[in-house]
Structure formats: C-alpha cells, structure tokens
Amino acid sequence: MKSENYILSIEDNTTDIALMTRIFERRIPDYAIRHISDGETAVDFIESDAFKKQSPKLILLDIKVPKLDGLEVLRQFRKHREYKTIPVVMMSSSDLNEDKEKAYLLGANSFMAKPKTFLELCETLPNLINNWII
Amino acid sequence: MSEGPSSLYPQEVSLTNCDKEPIHILGKIQSHGYLLACDPGSYKITYCSENIDQLFDKNVEEILGSQITDLLTNPTAEILKAVDSSEKMSPVQLEINGISYLLIAHINEGNLVVELEPFENPSDPFKYQDQLSEVVAKLNSVTDEQKMCDITADLIKDFFDYDRVMIYRFDENWDGVVVSEAREEHLESWLGLRYPASDIPQQARKLFLRQGVRIIADVKSEPVSIQALSGDERDNPIDLSISETRASSPVHIEYLENMNVGATLTAAIISKGNLWGLIACHHYSPKLVNYYQRQSCKFLTQVFSSQLVLSKANVLLRKVNRAAVLRSKLLEKISKDWNIHKGLTKGEATMLDITEATGAAVMLDDRIATVGKAPSEEDICGLVELLKQDKEDWIVTANLCESHKVSDSLKSYASGVLCLFLSAAKKSALIWFKPEKIETVTWAGNPEKPVAVDENQRISPRKSFDKWSVEQSGKSDPWYDYEIAAAKALKENISEIILEKYEEVKELNTLLRNAYEDLETFSYSVAHDLRAPLRGIDGFAQILKEDYFEQLDDFGKSSIATIINSSVKMNQLIDDILEFSKVSQSEIRKDNFSMAELVQETVGFLHIEQDFPNTKITIDKSMPQAYGDRKMVLQLMQNLLTNALKYTKNEQAPLIEIGHTVRDQMDYFFVKDNGIGFDQKHERRIFKLFSRLVGDEYVGSGIGLTISQRIVKKHNGEIKVISEAGKGSTFLFNLG
C-alpha cells in the first residue's frame, strides 16, 4: 500500500460513510478516509502488520458498532502503547453522556455527538483534522 | 266514689301520676266476689272481705283470727292444704245456702288467698273443648295479621257475647290503636282509634302481663273493702296482683264510667314475652263470665298470640330470603362488568328491591346514580354532607326533618333515610329513601288532656271520648331490622368489590405508568434514530445541490430547497421531542435564585438585541427570589420569551414585559407581549403536545409550551395564559 495520510473511520452506517467519503474527497484532499464497519474487523486490523506499517493519523470511532462495540475496540487499541499518539475521537449518535466518562477513562481523546446536518458535518470533519493532527 | 285512704292517691296530678297508683294493693274486691286470706301454715284467717258474712253465719270479727279449715268443711279444707304456689289450683265447686260457688285459691306474698265467686251456669266442659278446637282450627287457617285479628275479635264476641270486642295494639310509645273490632250493630265503631299510653298506665300493663285475663263484672257496683285481723295486717295491705276479684282503681272505674261501660273482660296478647296488645271486651251492662270461660279466653288469646308470632316470623323469613336472593343477583350483575352504579340501579333487580324503600342512591367516585323516587343529586349531596357529621358509619331515621333538621323540601321523597357509608372516609355511600307518610291519627279524645283534675286535686280521667284527629307529617314508614340487615350485608359486599376494583385499578395504573415510561423511552429513541436517516436525506440533497444544481430546472431547484427545508424542520422537531423527554425524566433540584438575573441571562442568550432590534423588553428588577430548579426555569423562561418574540415579530412596536404580580392571592411571574394573541377559549389547547394555533408563517413544533407546562408541573406550580386575539398574551406562572 502506497504511503498516505489517512483517517480510519469505524462506522457501520452506510449513509454516514458515503457522506464522509464525499466530504473528504471534496474538502479534505490531503487525507484519505478508510472505513471499517464492525468492531471485530477493526480490532483485527489494528493488530495487523498493515496497521503497524501504515497507521492512521486519526481514528473516528462510532460508539455503537456491531460485533464489538466502540468502547471495547477503544480498550483493545489503547493496549498498544506504541500507538498512544494516535488520537481517537468517539462519535455518538446520542447526546446522552452516560458513555462519555467511560470513553475518556479508556483513553478517548474526544467525545462528540454526530452533527445533525450535512453542513455541520462538513464543518466538523476539517476542524477535527486541524485540532488533532499536528 | 268510696272513701279510700287519701294517701294512696297522688297529691299532685300530672300525666304520669296514674303510673304510680298502687293498684295491686287497693284493699278492695269487686262486689260479686268474696275473699278470705290466711297464713298458709297455721290457716289462721288474717284478711276477709266485708261481705263474707253473707256466706257464713258468722260476722267479720268472728271470722278474722279463726281457722279457715273450720270455716270451710271437708273436702274443701283438705284441698286447700294442697295449694303451695301462685299457680292457681283447679277451682272447687261448692254450694252454700243453695247457691253454687267456685272457690279459687292461690298463694301470693305469704298469704293463702281464697276467693269465691258465684257460678251460675255450669256448662259441659267437653262441649267447650269442642268449640275451642274449632276456634283454633279457624285461626290456623289464616296467615295475614289483620285477618287473624278480625277472626279473633269475631270469635271472642261469639264466644263470650260482649257488646264490643276490640283488639288493641300498642306501638313503640305504648300508645294503643284499635286494629280490629267486633261490635253490636247499634254501637259506634272505634276501629282505628288511638289511645294515649296514659290510658293504660305502666303498672296496669305489668299486671296484664302477669295475670293474662281480667274481668270487671259490674263497673257501677261499689267495691267491697277487705278487713284485716290486726294492726300488722292493716299496715300491710294484702297484695291482690293475681286475685280474680281484685277491684279496679277508682280512676279506671271512672274512666270506664265516662265511656258508659258496664263490664269488661281484658286479655293480654303476649308476643315473645312482651305485651303486644290487649283483647278488650266491653259490655254496656253488668256481665260476669265465669272462671272457666275466662281460662278459655286466656287460652284463645295464647293461641292467637302464638299464631301472630309465627306468622310474623314467617313473613319476616320470606322477606329476609327475598332480600338475600336479590342481593346475590345484584352482585352477580355487578361482577359482570364491575359497574357498581349501573349494577345497583339499572335492570331487573336493583338495590331498591332488598328493602321496602321507594327510592335509593349510590354515591361512589363522586358520581351519583339513583333508582326509584329519590331526591335530586344536589339534595343527595347536601344530605350526605349532613349525615357525615354523625359519628356512626350508618344512619337510620324515619323522621329526617326532626332528626337532622333538614329543610321540608326533602321530606316528600326522603322522610325516611337509611344511609350506609362504604368507608371510613365517608366519601361513598349507599342510601335508601322512604317517602313521607301523611297519616291521620284519630285519637279517642284529645290525647293532650287524658286527665282532668277535680276540686279535691284528684285525678279523674278524661270525660270526653269524642274523636280527635291529628295529621301527622314528616314521618315515613319505619325501617325494619331485616331491611337494615340486608342493607348492611350489601354494603359489605360492595366494599369488598370496591377493594377488589381498587387493587385492579392500582395494578392497571402501574401498568399504565410503565407503558407511559416505555413510550417516553421509545419516543426518545425513535426521535434519536431519525437523526441518521435525516442526515442522509439532508446530506444527499446538499450534494445534489452542490453538484447538479445548475443542470436542474426551476422545479428541480425548488424541490431540493424543499427537501433541505423540511429536514431542517424535522431536525427542530426531533430537538423538541428530545428536550421534552429530557424534562420529563430529569430529577428536579431546587434552589433559591434571582428571577431578574435569570431573565437577564435568557435575554442575552437569545441574542435579542441583535436579532430583534425593534423589540422593547422591560424587566421588573424588583421581582422576588424564586425557588426551583434553575436550569429548568431557565428553559421555561427561554420558551416563554421565544414564544413572545415569535408572535410579536410582525408588530409595529413589539413590547415584552417580564414581571411579578398577585392574582387571587397567588404570586405569579409573568411574560406579557403585545403580539397576535389568541381567543381565550383555546387556553387549554395551547398547552397540548403538538397543538398549534397558527399556520406555517410562525415556525414551531407545538412542543415548547407543553415543555413549559411540564416544568411548572414538576414544581407543583401553576401556569396559565390570558390572551385576546390581536391584543397579545400574558403567561403567568409560579413554582408552587
């Protein structure tokens, strides 16, 4: 795989995946976005050599993904001390805060509710890149 | 009137004086009889009637102190030795100077009392027995109380041939009514006449109860005095309680004379040990029925009494049974649909049928249902309020106006009331009504004047027996024990049903609350889950707009705009729904805070100065402190202000005032605007979920005011609105 700057998105909602892909294409050309749609595959990928060789610059992790939920994926990922500088932003479709504390304890760097509209998402994604990738 | 010892007569006359006359020790016998009394051990004669010398060749002085066994020869003397109790021995027939007499002896209060009375027409005792058994058979054939009385009156008249035979019945006040009568045709009827209790005083009733039958053979003849042996006996007049020939009280004689009665026969009708009434026979000339006949009369009266008791018991038993059957029918009906109101008052069997009432009502859950002739609901409510004051949980009266001082308007339907409260709270009740029974009571003479007083301060009974009619009002028929028992049993059943129903409702409530909570959680998550697809709709509409806008015609362009606008609205709606369920679910945390500061904060937060530069806002800085959940109240104020801003935006000079006021002695904060307002009749609707009074020119989901109301309710406060279309609205609220 060609060396590239990419963002890893762990997200199962195909609409959201399509919207994010589109936003990256049009507005964030410097970064690619790669999607994984369930927790198990995400953990497999994190443990793989491919991941070691080419780590993402930022992980967007939906808290509710199938097979293994987002918090579990986060826990597994943070076991890897070597990746501690990779920021993880937890995405929640709920604005209830019950999982927020857990996420921070497990090593999330940020916790955010998914934007309600496309235009908000268009603003949010570049902001995340600017804030978390140095 | 004879010269009696004046000390025996009451000195001061009152209605009850007659009660004190010691009629059993008057010391006289009737003139047809003869009396001797001796010590039952020594047979020494201690008392004798003054007329005794008519029978024996000795005068009174010779007889007193002599041996009775010397006076009465064998075998009579031997028979006397067998007398040992107040049970009278069988009379002995004997002949003295060619005349037949009956000798009747008994022991009373330490005296052996021997009485003799002429025995003129000895008849065949077997023939008597035949007649008697015929009579008994006749009585057995009827069950109706009135018929029984009529038959008995006729029989006694036939049997003893008195001019008038009356069956006289006592009521609960010992007033007596003539319930049946058999008389010679030329006599005026006394049927239905009522006699005050004082006419047959208490001690006379007591003697009747003891003796059973009693005659006065000749009202006009002078009674004969009894002489005593010595001072001892003179100081202790002989007790003639069960004597056959005892003279009547002068007052009673005078009473009979006033009625022109010449002779009487009276038998006590005893029901369950109580004096039920009397069989009173009047003859208008002297008349003596002999001892055997009197015993027959006593026997007849006993048969009559027991028939009476039996038939009453039977009638009662039938009524009790009927009430029980109907009660179970009612319960069966109620258990079908648990509708107590309907079950008790509608359909074939109702609560009315378990009693003899004419109207009934059930008051339960603040609702009244009636059956039959019942007062208006308003009157029933008033009545129940009144009856609640009583200590008892059930009230029975046959004269409501008198017992509870209610207005006369109730008495036509409810002179009689039987009310049973279903619980200690006395909020629900079963009530039965009996109407006023206007009864004309005909007294035999003015009952207010049963006695007259003569110049010697002596009682003399009434002179006038002219009928005296009084209309009695305000009273209903009495309530019978079986009715009260049936009502109480029904009350118990209904209480049980209510309890069961209450448990059921409680369970349902829990289910409902759970369902409601589920529903709120559900709507929360539904609202939530709508976000993602909506983001898709909005997102792809935006993408279409970015990439293909120029290729679209005008309709295509406006369609995309519509999709995007709609998704904005839908997002707003989702926001509101989420907000609403958050308010519902969140715990309330109360604190003191400054309302003025909170309003100021809200105004700043809403960017009013920038976004609504024309709108003037006045805040009353002297508003009192508020006590409540500040975060919630902030949301409340934000809703009310947003509302005010929204509906004043088209005004020339929008004005919003926030302050504090007192209305009906309650404190309120208010938010007042001069916007479009609305018709006051929509007040309730305006707080309803999703309800909107305006069209699309004013954006909103119709949830804001519902949230506001929720917040106020969580504080146990009150929110209301005063509005007029075109003039503006004022929202008033407090935090409880």
Side-chain angles (χ1 to χ4, degrees), chain A residues 13 15-16 18-19 22 26-27 93-96 114-119 121-122, chain B residues 524 528 531-540 542-543 546-547 571 575 578 582:
Chain A
N13 186 313
T15 313
D16 285 343
L19 291 178
R22 156 88 186 193
R26 292 293 173 97
R27 299 171 198 237
S93 46
S94 152
D95 41 7
L96 290 181
K114 275 191 190 165
K116 295 171 200 168
T117 65
F118 178 70
L119 292 182
L121 191 61
C122 290
Chain B
Y524 182 85
H528 227 276
R531 289 265 202 230
L534 189 57
R535 198 157 51 234
I537 294 167
D538 170 63
F540 282 94
Q542 296 284 1
I543 289 167
E546 277 178 23
D547 292 1
N571 256 320
D575 283 346
L578 294 180
K582 250 193 207 165

Side-chain angles (χ1 to χ4, degrees), chain A residues 22-106:
Chain A
R22 156 88 186 193
I23 293 169
F24 270 84
E25 277 172 20
R26 292 293 173 97
R27 299 171 198 237
I28 315 172
D30 296 344
Y31 290 88
I33 183 158
R34 292 170 75 169
H35 297 284
I36 293 176
S37 61
D38 71 85
E40 234 169 58
T41 316
V43 170
D44 287 348
F45 177 58
I46 287 162
E47 317 248 299
S48 68
D49 287 343
F51 189 88
K52 202 181 241 173
K53 273 186 197 154
Q54 198 147 55
S55 306
K57 300 292 177 208
L58 171 71
I59 299 178
L60 298 179
L61 175 52
D62 192 314
I63 205 152
K64 266 190 190 160
V65 279
K67 294 185 182 171
L68 272 183
D69 77 13
L71 290 173
E72 182 55 25
V73 175
L74 176 63
R75 202 178 62 80
Q76 303 262 4
F77 178 62
R78 283 299 180 214
K79 280 191 196 158
H80 298 267
R81 304 298 301 157
E82 65 271 34
Y83 303 136
K84 67 178 179 192
T85 55
I86 301 176
V88 176
V89 175
M90 297 299 288
M91 310 281 279
S92 164
S93 46
S94 152
D95 41 7
L96 290 181
N97 292 334
E98 52 199 51
D99 290 331
K100 198 171 183 172
E101 207 172 324
K102 272 190 208 160
Y104 280 123
L105 285 173
L106 286 171

Side-chain angles (χ1 to χ4, degrees), chain B residues 333-353:
Chain B
K333 221 163 64 170
I334 292 170
S335 66
K336 271 181 193 149
D337 60 358
W338 299 107
N339 186 334
I340 296 174
H341 290 90
K342 196 177 122 203
L344 287 179
T345 61
K346 300 277 180 303
E348 208 182 313
T350 69
M351 65 190 283
L352 201 51
D353 301 317

Side-chain angles (χ1 to χ4, degrees), chain B residues 250-320:
Chain B
V251 178
H252 184 57
I253 293 295
E254 203 177 328
Y255 173 84
L256 292 171
E257 277 178 336
N258 289 340
M259 284 195 283
N260 292 317
V261 171
T264 65
L265 165 70
T266 315
I269 305 168
I270 296 161
S271 161
K272 290 190 246 170
N274 295 313
L275 195 60
W276 181 92
L278 298 172
I279 295 177
C281 308
H282 286 178
H283 207 64
Y284 289 90
S285 53
K287 180 175 174 67
L288 172 66
V289 294
N290 68 42
Y291 180 79
Y292 294 119
Q293 290 171 302
R294 298 203 294 276
Q295 289 308 107
S296 303
C297 181
K298 193 171 173 179
F299 173 68
L300 268 178
T301 310
Q302 275 167 0
V303 171
F304 170 63
S305 302
S306 54
Q307 280 299 111
L308 208 60
V309 171
L310 202 66
S311 107
K312 261 163 93 176
N314 278 336
V315 168
L316 186 68
L317 204 63
R318 269 200 300 278
K319 285 177 172 173
V320 169

